[in-house]
Structure formats: C-alpha cells, structure tokens
Amino acid sequence: MKLWKRTIAIFLSTLFITAMPISANALEETSITAPSAVLMEPETGKVLFEKNAHEIRACASITKVMTLLLVFEAIDSNKLSMDETVTASAHAASMGGSDIWLEEGETMTVDEMIKATVVASANDAAVALAEHLCGTEEEFVAKMNQRAKELGMKDTTFKNCNGLDEEGHLTSAYDVALMSKELIKHKDIFKYTGIWMDYLRDGKTQLVNTNKLLKSYNGITGLKTGTTGDAGSCITATATRGNLSLIGVVLGSTSGKERFTDAATILDYGFANYSMYTPKTPDGAVTDIQVVGGMQGTVKTAVNETTPILIKKGEEKGITEKLNLPESIDAPIKKGDKVGSVEYTLDKKKIAESPITADGDVEQMTFWSVFSVIFSNLLTSR
C-alpha cells in the first residue's frame, strides 16, 4: 500500500514538473526546437537570446517584411497612397502558394493589397505591390537588396518579393529581426498585423491571419509567418507588454505548432527577465547657472525627457545618477544648448546619459550692448 502511494506521488510530482514552464532564467538553446532563433529588443537592437542567429536559411513569406517595409516607406514619403489603385499583371496573377487569386487586370487599392499581403500572406498581392512601385518585380527586388545592405543585413540575398522557394533566396534569423525592427517603426503596420479575420471583394473573399499567436499570446502585435518546403515553418513575432516590446524570430521549425511554441517561449523569456527603466532626474538638475559675459547673470536649466533603458529585472536597484553641471557657462547661449548632463551608471559602467540644456537665450555682452543698456537706463531715469 505504501509502495503504491509512493509510486502515485512520484508520478504526480513528475507530471507537475514536466507541466511547468521552463524557468525564465534558464532558457537554453536546447529549449528551442527550431534550428535558428533570435530575441531582440527593437529600441536598442540588443539581442537577448540567440540560437544560430547568423545561420543562412530560407525564410519563406517572412520575406514580405522587407516588401512591406519598402511599401510603407513609399507611403511615408508620399510616393504612394493607401487609396491608390493597383492593377494585377499576368506575372502577379501567376503566383502560386498563398494568394487571393488575383486575375490579370484585376484592381484593388494599396490598402487592400497590403491587407492581403499581411493577413493572408498573399504572394500575388505582394508582387502586384512591387510592380506598382517599381515597374517590375526585378527592379523592386534590387531595391530590397539595397535596403537590406543599408540595414546591415549581411546574411541576406533576396531573389523575389514574396518568399517562394528560389535558389539563393536566403537570410538569417538575425537579419529578419533587423528588418522587422525597421518595419515596426511604421506604426500603421499594426493596423494590419492585428487583424484576425477580414474580407475583400465586397465580402466574397475571406482573409484569416496566418499568425495563430493573435489568438493565444498575451501582448502579441504581429508580425509575419512563412512556410515553404525549403524554409520549414517560420515566424517573426512582435509583442508588447507595458513599455517593453520584443521581436522573436524562429526559422526552420518542422511544424506550425512548433514555431508558435518556440516564439512564445523566447518572448516569455524576454518579458520575464527584462524591463524598460525610466531613470529618475536627480535633485539639482533644474536650477540657475551663472552666465559669464552675458546680458543677464543666470540662465535656468531644463532636463530633456529621459529615454527608457533596457535592463534586467531587479537591476534598477543598482542604478546610480551622477549630476554633471558646471558652476558657470560662457555667453552667448541659445535655448536648447547642452550645458551639462545626468549620467546613469550600473555596476560602475555608464548605461545612459540625459542632456541638461539651457531653458532660455542669453546674449553675449558687447561694448554696444553695454552702451545701449546704459543709454536706456539714462532715458528711463529722466
């Protein structure tokens, strides 16, 4: 009887342990089933976790992150508008895989083509957008590679704009994180990546998002999935909790379920272990500083809004602030001129600095300015 009870206890204990999530502080490469993964904080670009981050791999429809980046950059520079009409060419309509079955000559707005590209991962819509912007897909792909080079994506070569398997069409998890980081600077992308279900063609064509984390992960905001024979199952997942945003990239998973599990695991690790800390402004940062050679003797200071700092949770207790402010400054001074700084240190290492600026103008004292003041005072005294 005792042996039976002990056996049951051991079984239940084992079941409990295996059901528990992996310790947030002990995420190892082996915890991720995919061959390649990266976790990045987008404001700083700091990599918080990586597994074969620079391994050269196919990435399927994750390619569309760069396609969408060029589209949104064109919109922001007024070279393209959301209500502009896009006409599908025979080449665009010939795409296989995920698509919205565009027919040659069919028209949709830029807004609709973006929606199809993001939500349904439509290969034909991506090509239609590319051709509309650059005339041909080839010219658009050349711009994709140029932009990749500008972003420091050293592992990447694009051969098409939609991610269909093609020899030499390759990237890495790190490079995917870089272009994802750039795309999400265009906040309107989230109007599309957050859509679970929508329609085109007056309700005749249903779109369902390929990113199943939208239904299961707390804080998920996007971004793009991809699956092909060469690439396996891939995802670049973006999520935000509080003031911390993260990008989790997973390439080469053997199934869609595994890619979503891996993405959730690395995002969980990031949210459990890191935070964005807004440093405090020390007393004395806002004050009056003596001005040498100025038309007035002092100028008030101002502290610019401090940019939040990425830290490990708990490290905020060890952050110290050091005020660097001179006793006096020389005229002339313009409002906004840097006159000092607040330096933030953790473990004797500088981690951030906030400038202290002048909160007003002070003209330099000259002979004529002195004469003008004296003459004005004489007239006033009369």
Side-chain angles (χ1 to χ4, degrees):
M1 189 70 176
K2 290 182 179 180
L3 180 60
W4 180 80
K5 288 183 177 180
R6 181 178 295 180
T7 302
I8 293 295
I10 292 172
F11 172 77
L12 291 174
S13 298
T14 303
L15 183 64
F16 177 74
I17 291 170
T18 55
M20 289 177 64
I22 298 169
S23 171
N25 293 309
L27 184 60
E28 303 291 340
E29 287 189 8
T30 52
S31 302
I32 304 301
T33 61
S36 182
V38 161
L39 178 67
M40 179 181 286
E41 191 284 310
E43 290 296 322
T44 62
K46 184 175 180 179
V47 173
L48 309 181
F49 172 82
E50 59 182 308
K51 176 182 179 180
N52 300 323
H54 292 279
E55 184 174 276
I56 308 298
R57 307 188 60 85
C59 71
S61 283
I62 304 295
T63 299
K64 295 184 179 82
V65 169
M66 179 59 78
T67 300
L68 291 163
L69 173 60
L70 295 186
V71 168
F72 275 91
E73 287 179 339
I75 292 169
D76 287 351
S77 61
N78 297 318
K79 295 177 181 176
L80 189 67
S81 65
M82 286 292 187
D83 57 359
E84 205 167 310
T85 300
V86 179
T87 303
S89 69
H91 175 60
S94 71
M95 294 296 116
S98 300
D99 56 27
I100 53 167
W101 313 287
L102 287 173
E103 295 184 2
E104 182 181 357
E106 185 176 2
T107 61
M108 288 188 182
T109 63
V110 168
D111 170 68
E112 290 172 321
M113 290 290 190
I114 292 174
K115 188 184 297 182
T117 302
V118 174
V119 180
S121 195
N123 295 321
D124 47 1
V127 174
L129 284 168
E131 291 179 330
H132 184 76
L133 269 176
C134 294
T136 66
E137 184 183 7
E138 289 75 18
E139 290 181 29
F140 186 85
V141 171
K143 288 187 178 295
M144 292 171 69
N145 284 309
Q146 178 185 341
R147 194 71 181 98
K149 186 176 181 180
E150 292 168 356
L151 293 175
M153 296 168 60
K154 298 179 181 179
D155 306 325
T156 299
T157 302
F158 293 115
K159 296 289 186 176
N160 59 59
C161 70
N162 52 29
L164 286 170
D165 286 338
E166 186 171 343
E167 186 176 353
H169 185 86
L170 300 166
T171 188
S172 68
Y174 179 77
D175 280 7
V176 170
L178 285 182
M179 65 178 179
S180 300
K181 170 179 177 287
E182 196 67 20
L183 176 58
I184 63 175
K185 290 179 181 178
H186 303 269
K187 301 304 181 185
D188 282 349
I189 187 62
F190 295 123
K191 295 178 181 179
Y192 300 92
T193 58
I195 295 172
W196 174 247
M197 185 181 294
D198 210 327
Y199 297 87
L200 294 174
R201 301 183 177 106
D202 297 322
K204 296 176 183 178
T205 301
Q206 185 184 66
L207 306 177
V208 179
N209 206 307
T210 56
N211 183 3
K212 307 310 178 188
L213 290 180
L214 286 175
K215 286 292 187 179
S216 63
Y217 193 81
N218 177 27
I220 196 73
T221 57
L223 186 61
K224 193 71 195 73
T225 62
T227 304
T228 64
D230 288 350
S233 292
C234 310
I235 187 171
T236 173
T238 56
T240 298
R241 293 181 187 174
N243 65 348
L244 177 63
S245 294
L246 296 172
I247 300 169
V249 179
V250 174
L251 300 184
S253 292
T254 56
S255 69
K257 181 179 179 181
E258 286 187 355
R259 82 176 155 200
F260 293 132
T261 299
D262 282 347
T265 297
I266 59 176
L267 289 171
D268 281 346
Y269 167 77
F271 287 123
N273 287 279
Y274 293 88
S275 64
M276 298 300 288
Y277 172 73
T278 302
K280 301 174 183 177
T281 301
D283 294 337
V286 178
T287 186
D288 291 322
I289 296 183
Q290 296 295 318
V291 178
V292 178
M295 290 297 293
Q296 60 193 64
T298 62
V299 66
K300 187 171 285 295
T301 62
V303 180
N304 292 4
E305 184 177 346
T306 304
T307 301
I309 305 167
L310 177 68
I311 61 171
K312 287 185 176 180
K313 287 187 175 179
E315 285 185 337
E316 62 272 13
K317 298 175 182 178
I319 296 175
T320 58
E321 303 91 25
K322 180 184 177 183
L323 184 61
N324 300 315
L325 203 58
E327 292 183 3
S328 63
I329 52 178
D330 295 329
I333 301 165
K334 294 292 184 182
K335 184 175 182 178
D337 284 352
K338 182 179 176 180
V339 296
S341 67
V342 182
E343 187 177 298
Y344 300 95
T345 304
L346 177 64
D347 296 331
K348 298 182 180 180
K349 293 181 181 179
K350 178 181 172 182
I351 58 172
E353 180 179 288
S354 294
I356 299 175
T357 59
D359 199 25
D361 299 332
V362 180
E363 294 182 8
Q364 187 175 23
M365 186 180 293
T366 65
F367 170 79
W368 291 110
S369 62
V370 173
F371 177 79
S372 177
V373 170
I374 294 173
F375 184 72
S376 177
N377 288 338
L378 287 172
L379 289 176
T380 304
S381 63
R382 285 186 172 187

